[in-house]
Amino acid sequence: MPARNNLKAIPAALAAAGFAASVSLPALGQGAGMLEEVIVTAAKRQQTLQEIPIAVSVVSAEIIEQSQVLDIKDLQTLVPSLRVTQLQGSAQTNFIIRGFGNGANNPGIEPSVGVFVDGVYRSRVGSALADLPKLERVEVLRGPQSTLFGKNASAGVINVVTAKPDLAGYSGSVSATLGNYNQKIVKGNFTGPISDNVAFSVSGSMNQRDGYYDNLELETEQNEINRWNLRGQLLWNPSDRMEVRLIADSDGIDEQCCGVANIVNGPTGAVVQALGGNLVPEAPFAYEGFYDFDPQNRIDTQGLSMQIDYDFDSFTLTSITAMRKLEQFDLGDVDYTSARLVTPDAANQRDTEIDTFTQELRLTSATDGPLQWMVGAFYFTEELTTEGSFGYGDQFRSYADFLTQAGTGGALNLAIIEAIYGVPAGLSFAEGQGFPSESYALDDDTLSLFAQVDFDLTEAMTLTVGANYTESDKQASANLVSTDVFATLPFGGTPFAGLQGLQFLPPYLNYPNSVEDGKSNDDDITYTVRLAYDLTQNINVYGGVSTGFKASSWNMSRDARPLASDLAALGAAGLLVPNITAGTRFAGPEESTVFELGLKAEFDTVSVNVAVFNQEIEGFQSNIFNGVGFNLANAGKQSTDGMELDVTWVPIDGLRVGFAATWL
């Protein structure tokens, strides 16, 4: 089949280097400008951006609006260390920070970059792709953050903070935007008090745009936008000590996405054309292709969360409880040509449902003094089910017959092979054969305990020490039904061994079974040690080491195969299926480490942040598409070195100039 590549461009972050620049002119004033103080909660306590010794980029609501950033994917235009790759579907998206990231295309993998919205963990990218609601800010924490965020933050964190309801008075806004490709965006929000201590807010948006990728076969368009979101909040302040925030949200995406490009027209391209199919060969930026049916992407996600903060005399108690549901459906023409090689009604379709519950409790010191501390616990439980199918189209037998004859110099065809092996004539690669039923399930229970202490060694020097213990228990299962008769034929060790290349859908060995229990249990202790020193009132430097951890990920695809070490026991138990090969059912944990030096300087009109780092992940969970499924395995060690620069300048009132760059 022809090679293909993602059509989406990545304008703001490159593999080797990236930069972003912005100029904001809301209203030009007359006097000298002054930098505003930026408050962040990257360390789960309120601190200013300049005093927190962490490499973090903060994008305010004002900058997001002026830059026309609509969703998390667009943040890469403002944060060069963040790269977002969207692949062949709306939800097949990877968030990558400092070169690290994974999770697309395989629901059994949680991303290495954790996404949190108002303190609630979004366990899959699909639940974080909706257009952004009314915001306060977005924080992008670079490097492993497992000490405080615990759950799968081995590469970094995107922390979205939305605006609270307003107790002071009523306000709201409505906006409408028109763009090319018939784009229409409507957004609105309203907030105000219900009583002296209760306030509410509601917001919603609708975003639609025609596609810009032409399907030449059906004269349709792909890469469209069709999404909406609704969000409601209640804020209750029963006393000066207590605040309760209740949030309910619902988001939807229903799109035909995404067109791909042919970058290498391989030898099977001619076979596709001989069958009457077509493709656009070797044109990465043609923005057009031939498909016998359009892809479908539907994502619906809903959530309910409650945050309670209570101020005691010497500490603050915070509780965040949340329930979320993600429903995701994907269907695609996976041969990416107009040849009917896969069936439209069962063409690599996948229907996934994920239910999560999270509970976080933490105590944070609230007194002055040389010692500031935080302790907490985080519990996560998730139930995932995903069902799918794969079926050959009505032209696949002819396609396979071409390859059979080419591979045997014209001496054999499928009819001869069927006669030799006693297969009913015409059954090999018949329409609908393949995997008519695929069913996977994954249950995850995770507990994290964390603590962090900031101790002022002197008036100018602060030592930070933090630790996290995480334990994750997972139970996975797979039940697949194979009807591909050709894949069961014993070609190995015969004159027909060359035909094994066409047995790319061998029968699947379901699990758990008497040899494979489908369970993984992982635990790890991560830590942070950091020293910060105030050179002057305006300049401080810091240095330290942090580690991160992500638990095992299970391969929820038809290419999950038993370990080579289990084949003998499976054979002894009589469980082996025809033509089975070894592989992996899951990839073990990721463990990351970063060494970092940083400088933060802030004056009246200019701020400069610099970070130099060396970061590596041991046991990186590599998820590689092999044409029919995904090979998931630990790919040894991955490492990066780099430097990040972030400069903000306010020369006069109303004019803000920002520059950010990453060398990786």
Side-chain angles (χ1 to χ4, degrees), residues 118-293:
D118 290 325
V120 177
Y121 176 56
R122 303 289 181 96
S123 65
R124 298 297 186 281
V125 172
S127 65
L129 289 179
D131 288 358
L132 294 169
K134 183 174 175 59
L135 293 175
E136 183 176 310
R137 65 185 180 277
V138 177
E139 304 167 355
V140 180
L141 287 69
R142 309 188 293 269
Q145 306 294 328
S146 294
T147 302
L148 291 181
F149 288 88
K151 181 62 178 174
N152 293 353
S154 57
V157 163
I158 301 174
N159 187 38
V160 179
V161 182
T162 68
K164 291 182 180 181
D166 192 351
L167 276 167
Y170 296 101
S171 63
S173 67
V174 176
S175 66
T177 302
L178 298 178
N180 60 346
Y181 292 93
N182 198 31
Q183 185 164 30
K184 300 179 289 290
I185 304 173
V186 179
K187 303 174 67 175
N189 63 82
F190 187 75
T191 183
I194 298 176
S195 66
D196 291 342
N197 58 13
V198 178
F200 77 98
S201 68
V202 292
S203 64
S205 71
M206 182 274 294
N207 184 359
Q208 294 180 340
R209 190 205 65 206
D210 295 340
Y212 58 84
Y213 182 100
D214 294 325
N215 181 355
L216 302 177
E217 180 71 13
L218 301 180
E219 298 183 351
T220 56
E221 296 171 339
Q222 300 177 11
N223 289 29
E224 64 179 5
I225 291 177
N226 184 23
R227 54 188 61 183
W228 59 269
N229 71 72
L230 292 172
R231 185 179 180 88
Q233 295 190 60
L234 283 176
L235 181 69
W236 179 39
N237 289 137
S239 69
D240 292 340
R241 290 178 176 264
M242 186 175 182
E243 179 179 280
V244 180
R245 188 180 181 190
L246 183 67
I247 304 174
D249 65 88
S250 183
D251 309 282
I253 294 176
D254 188 357
E255 299 172 344
Q256 292 185 3
C257 190
C258 303
V260 302
N262 180 293
I263 57 172
V264 177
N265 187 20
T268 57
V271 181
V272 167
Q273 292 174 320
L275 293 172
N278 212 339
L279 67 154
V280 177
E282 297 176 338
F285 302 103
Y287 295 89
E288 60 186 17
F290 290 87
Y291 300 78
D292 49 301
F293 60 92

Side-chain angles (χ1 to χ4, degrees), residues 355-388:
D355 294 291
T356 62
F357 171 81
T358 58
Q359 174 63 59
E360 180 174 358
L361 289 172
R362 64 176 183 264
L363 301 176
T364 306
S365 63
T367 57
D368 295 331
L371 183 66
Q372 302 292 319
W373 54 266
M374 178 192 303
V375 296
F378 177 79
Y379 175 70
F380 170 91
T381 183
E382 179 174 81
E383 294 181 359
L384 178 153
T385 59
T386 181
E387 297 181 351

Side-chain angles (χ1 to χ4, degrees), residues 392-405:
Y392 297 125
D394 62 3
Q395 289 188 315
F396 198 94
R397 180 176 170 85
S398 298
Y399 176 84
D401 207 24
F402 267 111
L403 299 181
T404 301
Q405 295 181 55

Side-chain angles (χ1 to χ4, degrees), residues 19 32 242 330 468 517 551 598 616:
F19 71 91
M242 186 175 182
D330 302 287
N468 179 297
D517 61 10
E616 68 177 30

Side-chain angles (χ1 to χ4, degrees), residues 513-593:
N513 50 55
S514 60
V515 176
E516 302 171 292
D517 61 10
K519 296 179 180 179
S520 63
N521 177 269
D522 304 304
D523 63 87
D524 195 29
I525 295 176
T526 57
Y527 63 87
T528 294
V529 178
R530 190 165 49 237
L531 197 62
Y533 184 72
D534 295 332
L535 292 175
T536 69
Q537 185 177 357
N538 303 101
I539 302 173
N540 60 71
V541 294
Y542 68 90
V545 56
S546 296
T547 62
F549 168 74
K550 187 173 83 164
S552 296
S553 290
W554 283 79
N555 192 353
M556 304 280 100
S557 96
R558 66 182 70 96
D559 200 63
R561 307 186 189 280
L563 295 171
S565 57
D566 288 333
L567 290 182
L570 291 168
L575 296 174
L576 295 182
V577 296
N579 299 325
I580 191 170
T581 57
T584 62
R585 301 289 199 186
F586 64 92
E590 289 181 353
E591 296 182 348
S592 57
T593 305

